[in-house]
Short mmCIF file of all heavy atoms in Angstrom, two decimals:
data_model
loop_
_atom_site.label_atom_id
_atom_site.label_comp_id
_atom_site.label_asym_id
_atom_site.label_seq_id
_atom_site.Cartn_x
_atom_site.Cartn_y
_atom_site.Cartn_z
N TRP A 150 30.30 10.39 22.81
CA TRP A 150 30.78 9.14 22.59
C TRP A 150 31.45 8.57 23.89
O TRP A 150 31.26 7.36 23.98
CB TRP A 150 31.76 9.21 21.46
CG TRP A 150 32.50 8.00 21.24
CD1 TRP A 150 33.94 7.74 21.21
CD2 TRP A 150 32.01 6.53 21.02
NE1 TRP A 150 34.27 6.42 20.87
CE2 TRP A 150 33.04 5.75 20.87
CE3 TRP A 150 30.76 6.13 20.80
CZ2 TRP A 150 32.93 4.39 20.60
CZ3 TRP A 150 30.52 4.77 20.67
CH2 TRP A 150 31.62 3.94 20.53
N MET A 153 28.41 7.24 25.76
CA MET A 153 27.78 6.23 24.85
C MET A 153 28.53 4.90 25.14
O MET A 153 27.85 3.75 25.21
CB MET A 153 27.75 6.51 23.49
CG MET A 153 27.18 5.44 22.65
SD MET A 153 25.38 5.24 23.10
CE MET A 153 24.60 6.80 22.59
N GLN A 154 29.79 4.81 25.39
CA GLN A 154 30.54 3.65 25.55
C GLN A 154 30.24 3.01 26.96
O GLN A 154 30.45 1.90 27.19
CB GLN A 154 31.98 3.98 25.57
CG GLN A 154 32.50 4.38 24.21
CD GLN A 154 33.99 4.71 24.17
OE1 GLN A 154 34.73 3.86 24.19
NE2 GLN A 154 34.28 5.92 24.15
N ARG A 155 29.55 3.77 27.83
CA ARG A 155 29.21 3.31 29.18
C ARG A 155 27.65 2.96 29.33
O ARG A 155 27.30 2.01 29.84
CB ARG A 155 29.57 4.32 30.27
CG ARG A 155 31.04 4.61 30.36
CD ARG A 155 31.42 5.35 31.70
NE ARG A 155 30.73 6.59 31.77
CZ ARG A 155 31.32 7.69 31.24
NH1 ARG A 155 32.50 7.65 30.52
NH2 ARG A 155 30.77 8.90 31.38
N TRP A 156 26.79 3.74 28.60
CA TRP A 156 25.47 3.45 28.62
C TRP A 156 24.77 4.18 27.43
O TRP A 156 25.31 5.05 26.89
CB TRP A 156 24.79 3.80 29.95
CG TRP A 156 24.83 5.34 30.18
CD1 TRP A 156 23.89 6.17 29.66
CD2 TRP A 156 25.71 6.01 31.02
NE1 TRP A 156 24.08 7.52 30.25
CE2 TRP A 156 25.23 7.36 30.93
CE3 TRP A 156 26.84 5.76 31.77
CZ2 TRP A 156 26.05 8.44 31.64
CZ3 TRP A 156 27.53 6.73 32.31
CH2 TRP A 156 26.98 8.13 32.40
N PHE A 181 20.45 -9.79 18.51
CA PHE A 181 19.96 -9.01 19.63
C PHE A 181 18.41 -8.90 19.48
O PHE A 181 17.91 -8.52 18.56
CB PHE A 181 20.61 -7.64 19.71
CG PHE A 181 22.19 -7.72 20.19
CD1 PHE A 181 23.06 -7.53 19.08
CD2 PHE A 181 22.53 -7.77 21.37
CE1 PHE A 181 24.38 -7.60 19.28
CE2 PHE A 181 23.87 -7.79 21.65
CZ PHE A 181 24.80 -7.67 20.59
N ALA A 184 18.60 -5.01 22.18
CA ALA A 184 19.64 -3.90 22.26
C ALA A 184 20.49 -3.77 20.98
O ALA A 184 21.62 -3.32 20.94
CB ALA A 184 20.65 -4.22 23.50
N TYR A 187 21.52 -0.20 20.41
CA TYR A 187 22.71 0.22 21.14
C TYR A 187 24.03 -0.35 20.43
O TYR A 187 24.98 0.21 20.32
CB TYR A 187 22.60 -0.16 22.54
CG TYR A 187 23.71 0.27 23.49
CD1 TYR A 187 24.26 1.47 23.40
CD2 TYR A 187 24.31 -0.58 24.39
CE1 TYR A 187 25.42 1.93 24.23
CE2 TYR A 187 25.29 -0.25 25.31
CZ TYR A 187 25.92 1.02 25.13
OH TYR A 187 26.85 1.44 26.05
N ASP A 188 23.92 -1.69 20.16
CA ASP A 188 25.00 -2.42 19.39
C ASP A 188 25.31 -1.60 18.18
O ASP A 188 26.60 -1.33 17.89
CB ASP A 188 24.59 -3.82 18.90
CG ASP A 188 25.67 -4.53 18.15
OD1 ASP A 188 26.71 -4.76 18.59
OD2 ASP A 188 25.32 -4.68 16.97
N LEU A 191 27.21 1.68 19.06
CA LEU A 191 28.56 1.30 19.41
C LEU A 191 29.50 1.08 18.28
O LEU A 191 30.65 1.35 18.22
CB LEU A 191 28.63 0.12 20.56
CG LEU A 191 28.11 0.49 21.91
CD1 LEU A 191 28.08 -0.85 22.75
CD2 LEU A 191 28.79 1.58 22.52
N ARG A 192 28.90 0.41 17.27
CA ARG A 192 29.62 0.07 16.05
C ARG A 192 29.97 1.26 15.26
O ARG A 192 31.14 1.44 14.58
CB ARG A 192 28.67 -0.87 15.18
CG ARG A 192 29.56 -1.67 14.20
CD ARG A 192 28.53 -2.38 13.25
NE ARG A 192 27.31 -3.00 13.80
CZ ARG A 192 26.24 -3.20 13.28
NH1 ARG A 192 26.15 -2.91 12.04
NH2 ARG A 192 25.21 -3.64 13.90
N ALA A 220 17.41 -6.28 28.11
CA ALA A 220 18.13 -5.26 27.33
C ALA A 220 19.35 -4.94 28.08
O ALA A 220 20.36 -4.43 27.54
CB ALA A 220 17.13 -4.03 27.25
N LEU A 221 19.28 -4.83 29.40
CA LEU A 221 20.49 -4.64 30.23
C LEU A 221 21.59 -5.55 29.96
O LEU A 221 22.78 -5.27 29.73
CB LEU A 221 20.23 -4.53 31.67
CG LEU A 221 19.35 -3.52 32.16
CD1 LEU A 221 19.08 -3.62 33.79
CD2 LEU A 221 19.75 -2.15 31.96
N ARG A 222 21.22 -6.86 29.90
CA ARG A 222 22.14 -8.01 29.63
C ARG A 222 22.72 -7.82 28.21
O ARG A 222 23.90 -7.90 28.07
CB ARG A 222 21.40 -9.33 29.89
CG ARG A 222 22.33 -10.49 29.76
CD ARG A 222 21.66 -11.78 30.10
NE ARG A 222 21.21 -11.82 31.53
CZ ARG A 222 19.94 -11.72 31.84
NH1 ARG A 222 18.91 -11.53 30.92
NH2 ARG A 222 19.63 -11.80 33.12
N GLU A 223 21.81 -7.58 27.21
CA GLU A 223 22.35 -7.50 25.90
C GLU A 223 23.14 -6.26 25.61
O GLU A 223 24.06 -6.28 24.85
CB GLU A 223 21.07 -7.48 24.92
CG GLU A 223 20.42 -8.79 24.71
CD GLU A 223 19.43 -8.85 23.56
OE1 GLU A 223 19.34 -7.76 23.04
OE2 GLU A 223 18.89 -9.80 23.46
N ALA A 224 22.91 -5.17 26.39
CA ALA A 224 23.72 -4.02 26.35
C ALA A 224 25.05 -4.32 26.80
O ALA A 224 26.15 -3.82 26.17
CB ALA A 224 23.12 -2.87 27.19
N GLN A 225 25.25 -5.05 27.78
CA GLN A 225 26.59 -5.44 28.24
C GLN A 225 27.38 -6.29 27.15
O GLN A 225 28.53 -6.25 26.89
CB GLN A 225 26.67 -6.09 29.52
CG GLN A 225 26.09 -5.03 30.68
CD GLN A 225 26.69 -3.71 30.58
OE1 GLN A 225 27.88 -3.48 30.40
NE2 GLN A 225 25.89 -2.72 30.70
N GLN A 226 26.62 -7.20 26.60
CA GLN A 226 27.04 -7.97 25.50
C GLN A 226 27.58 -7.16 24.26
O GLN A 226 28.62 -7.47 23.66
CB GLN A 226 26.02 -8.97 24.94
CG GLN A 226 25.65 -10.18 26.03
CD GLN A 226 24.50 -10.91 25.60
OE1 GLN A 226 23.77 -10.59 24.69
NE2 GLN A 226 24.11 -11.92 26.39
N ALA A 227 26.84 -6.18 23.97
CA ALA A 227 27.20 -5.24 22.91
C ALA A 227 28.56 -4.51 23.30
O ALA A 227 29.35 -4.25 22.33
CB ALA A 227 26.06 -4.25 22.54
N ARG A 228 28.53 -4.02 24.53
CA ARG A 228 29.75 -3.35 24.92
C ARG A 228 30.90 -4.29 24.86
O ARG A 228 32.06 -3.83 24.43
CB ARG A 228 29.58 -2.87 26.44
CG ARG A 228 28.57 -1.76 26.58
CD ARG A 228 28.40 -1.23 27.95
NE ARG A 228 29.71 -0.51 28.36
CZ ARG A 228 30.44 -0.86 29.53
NH1 ARG A 228 30.15 -1.84 30.10
NH2 ARG A 228 31.35 -0.01 29.72
N GLN A 229 30.74 -5.47 25.35
CA GLN A 229 31.91 -6.48 25.30
C GLN A 229 32.37 -6.64 23.85
O GLN A 229 33.58 -6.76 23.64
CB GLN A 229 31.54 -7.74 25.96
CG GLN A 229 32.64 -8.83 25.98
CD GLN A 229 32.22 -10.09 26.78
OE1 GLN A 229 30.98 -10.29 26.97
NE2 GLN A 229 33.10 -10.83 27.31
N ARG A 230 31.47 -6.76 22.96
CA ARG A 230 31.80 -7.08 21.57
C ARG A 230 32.50 -5.92 20.86
O ARG A 230 33.48 -6.09 20.19
CB ARG A 230 30.59 -7.47 20.82
CG ARG A 230 30.94 -7.86 19.33
CD ARG A 230 29.79 -8.59 18.64
NE ARG A 230 28.63 -7.72 18.28
CZ ARG A 230 27.70 -8.17 17.40
NH1 ARG A 230 27.64 -9.38 17.00
NH2 ARG A 230 26.76 -7.23 17.13
N ASN A 231 31.98 -4.76 21.03
CA ASN A 231 32.42 -3.62 20.38
C ASN A 231 33.55 -2.82 20.90
O ASN A 231 34.26 -2.15 20.24
CB ASN A 231 31.25 -2.59 20.06
CG ASN A 231 30.19 -3.11 19.15
OD1 ASN A 231 30.36 -3.12 17.88
ND2 ASN A 231 29.10 -3.57 19.60
N LEU A 232 33.61 -2.83 22.38
CA LEU A 232 34.66 -2.19 23.10
C LEU A 232 35.80 -3.01 23.50
O LEU A 232 36.63 -2.53 24.21
CB LEU A 232 33.98 -1.45 24.15
CG LEU A 232 32.84 -0.34 23.79
CD1 LEU A 232 32.26 0.18 24.98
CD2 LEU A 232 33.35 0.66 22.92
N HIS A 233 35.56 -4.36 23.33
CA HIS A 233 36.47 -5.38 23.74
C HIS A 233 36.80 -5.44 25.16
O HIS A 233 37.97 -5.30 25.67
CB HIS A 233 37.90 -5.19 22.86
CG HIS A 233 37.69 -5.03 21.45
ND1 HIS A 233 37.25 -6.06 20.62
CD2 HIS A 233 37.76 -3.89 20.64
CE1 HIS A 233 37.18 -5.61 19.45
NE2 HIS A 233 37.47 -4.39 19.33
N LEU A 234 35.82 -5.30 25.95
CA LEU A 234 35.92 -5.38 27.41
C LEU A 234 35.89 -6.85 27.91
O LEU A 234 35.56 -7.87 27.26
CB LEU A 234 34.73 -4.77 28.02
CG LEU A 234 34.40 -3.26 27.59
CD1 LEU A 234 33.18 -2.75 28.25
CD2 LEU A 234 35.63 -2.32 27.92
N SER A 235 36.30 -7.04 29.14
CA SER A 235 36.36 -8.40 29.74
C SER A 235 35.03 -8.79 30.28
O SER A 235 34.19 -7.89 30.48
CB SER A 235 37.42 -8.36 30.99
OG SER A 235 37.00 -7.68 31.97
N ARG A 236 34.79 -10.04 30.49
CA ARG A 236 33.54 -10.54 31.03
C ARG A 236 33.38 -9.96 32.47
O ARG A 236 32.19 -9.69 32.91
CB ARG A 236 33.50 -12.05 31.13
CG ARG A 236 33.58 -12.79 29.70
CD ARG A 236 33.37 -14.32 29.90
NE ARG A 236 32.17 -14.73 30.45
CZ ARG A 236 31.82 -15.94 30.64
NH1 ARG A 236 32.72 -16.89 30.26
NH2 ARG A 236 30.77 -16.28 31.10
N LEU A 237 34.37 -9.73 33.28
CA LEU A 237 34.30 -9.14 34.58
C LEU A 237 33.82 -7.77 34.47
O LEU A 237 32.97 -7.34 35.23
CB LEU A 237 35.75 -9.27 35.27
CG LEU A 237 35.82 -8.56 36.60
CD1 LEU A 237 34.91 -9.41 37.56
CD2 LEU A 237 37.26 -8.72 37.22
N GLN A 238 34.33 -6.99 33.54
CA GLN A 238 33.92 -5.56 33.35
C GLN A 238 32.49 -5.54 33.09
O GLN A 238 31.79 -4.71 33.64
CB GLN A 238 34.82 -4.86 32.32
CG GLN A 238 36.24 -4.65 32.70
CD GLN A 238 37.05 -4.12 31.62
OE1 GLN A 238 37.16 -4.61 30.47
NE2 GLN A 238 37.59 -2.86 31.63
N VAL A 239 31.98 -6.27 32.17
CA VAL A 239 30.71 -6.17 31.70
C VAL A 239 29.76 -6.82 32.76
O VAL A 239 28.43 -6.30 32.93
CB VAL A 239 30.32 -6.80 30.35
CG1 VAL A 239 31.21 -5.98 29.16
CG2 VAL A 239 30.79 -8.25 30.27
N GLY A 240 30.17 -7.76 33.39
CA GLY A 240 29.38 -8.40 34.49
C GLY A 240 29.15 -7.29 35.61
O GLY A 240 27.98 -7.16 36.14
N TRP A 241 30.12 -6.67 35.95
CA TRP A 241 30.00 -5.60 37.10
C TRP A 241 29.03 -4.57 36.62
O TRP A 241 28.19 -4.06 37.29
CB TRP A 241 31.34 -5.04 37.43
CG TRP A 241 31.27 -3.82 38.29
CD1 TRP A 241 31.60 -2.56 37.94
CD2 TRP A 241 31.02 -3.82 39.70
NE1 TRP A 241 31.33 -1.82 39.10
CE2 TRP A 241 31.06 -2.52 40.16
CE3 TRP A 241 30.66 -4.85 40.61
CZ2 TRP A 241 30.73 -2.19 41.35
CZ3 TRP A 241 30.27 -4.47 41.92
CH2 TRP A 241 30.48 -3.17 42.37
N ALA A 242 29.29 -4.10 35.38
CA ALA A 242 28.38 -3.10 34.74
C ALA A 242 26.94 -3.46 34.70
O ALA A 242 25.92 -2.63 34.97
CB ALA A 242 28.86 -2.62 33.35
N TYR A 243 26.66 -4.73 34.42
CA TYR A 243 25.28 -5.30 34.38
C TYR A 243 24.66 -5.08 35.63
O TYR A 243 23.49 -4.51 35.94
CB TYR A 243 25.21 -6.73 33.88
CG TYR A 243 23.94 -7.39 34.10
CD1 TYR A 243 22.83 -7.14 33.20
CD2 TYR A 243 23.61 -8.17 35.27
CE1 TYR A 243 21.60 -7.64 33.46
CE2 TYR A 243 22.50 -8.71 35.49
CZ TYR A 243 21.38 -8.47 34.65
OH TYR A 243 20.17 -8.96 34.92
#
Side-chain angles (χ1 to χ4, degrees):
W150 174 232
M153 181 62 64
Q154 293 176 76
R155 298 193 295 274
W156 67 83
F181 289 97
Y187 185 43
D188 172 72
L191 289 177
R192 202 187 322 154
L221 295 181
R222 187 175 294 108
E223 287 193 357
Q225 299 312 319
Q226 293 170 354
R228 293 180 70 235
Q229 184 176 18
R230 179 167 77 172
N231 291 283
L232 304 176
H233 309 294
L234 303 178
S235 70
R236 294 182 66 180
L237 179 61
Q238 287 174 303
V239 299
W241 172 253
Y243 167 78

